[in-house]
Amino acid sequence: MRNQGININILHPVVASDTFAQRYVSLVNVMYRARDDKTQWIVTIDDDTFFPSMFNLQKMLEQHDWQKPHYIGSLSEDWWAVNHYGLMAFGGAGVMLSLPMAKIIDEHIAECKTNLRTTAGDVSIMDCVYRFSPTKLTHVP
């Protein structure tokens, strides 16, 4: 991957005893701390997510000021899930956080990882965003 210009790190869970949802939230913390001067967005996606056009994804993100807190994603196609969990970025479409939003999560990582209401990581990120910021989901179909 590095030969292809992909900056990748493969690591074990930050805390071995963390649940899946806690590990998912920790990804934001890990990526935020690994940022460099080019980093604008931090994205978590499901392991089976595929973006057919990275160009279009980048163009969409360029419409948003990465220097302000943003929480961007798409709702589930399953109305029950939307009704049950709320207006949130579902991991299948990707959870996109601007660097300032990732900083908010990083600053509250301990609180974000405790008293989780589900076992889903994307729900836990939503709960953290809504608990510690006034930012709401920017829905991108």
Side-chain angles (χ1 to χ4, degrees):
M1 289 182 154
R2 285 201 171 94
N3 289 342
Q4 297 300 313
I6 298 171
N7 183 6
I8 184 169
N9 291 304
I10 299 172
L11 50 110
H12 294 282
V14 176
V15 178
S17 62
D18 276 357
T19 65
F20 173 81
Q22 290 170 322
R23 289 192 311 268
Y24 197 95
V25 173
S26 290
L27 289 173
V28 176
N29 177 256
V30 168
M31 288 187 284
Y32 180 76
R33 292 180 181 231
R35 73 193 183 283
D36 61 24
D37 59 345
K38 296 178 186 176
T39 306
Q40 297 179 357
W41 298 93
I42 288 176
V43 179
T44 63
I45 58 175
D46 287 357
D47 59 348
D48 59 352
T49 298
F50 172 74
F51 294 112
S53 173
M54 289 302 290
F55 177 81
N56 286 339
L57 177 63
Q58 288 176 305
K59 287 296 178 194
M60 181 277 295
L61 289 173
E62 286 174 3
Q63 296 173 16
H64 306 280
D65 183 355
W66 67 269
Q67 296 179 54
K68 296 181 179 176
H70 286 287
Y71 169 54
I72 300 173
S74 188
L75 302 176
S76 174
E77 67 281 356
D78 179 359
W79 179 245
W80 178 90
V82 174
N83 191 44
H84 187 75
Y85 295 115
L87 299 176
M88 61 171 276
F90 281 78
V95 179
M96 292 152 215
L97 305 167
S98 63
L99 211 54
M101 179 55 65
K103 181 178 189 244
I104 291 168
I105 293 173
D106 180 69
E107 290 170 345
H108 298 283
I109 195 69
E111 298 100 328
C112 291
K113 289 175 56 178
T114 58
N115 301 319
L116 302 178
R117 67 181 173 116
T118 74
T119 58
D122 46 10
V123 173
S124 299
I125 287 178
M126 173 196 65
D127 287 345
C128 189
V129 167
Y130 289 167
R131 182 175 173 198
F132 295 106
S133 83
T135 303
K136 301 299 178 212
L137 175 68
T138 298
H139 176 247
V140 177

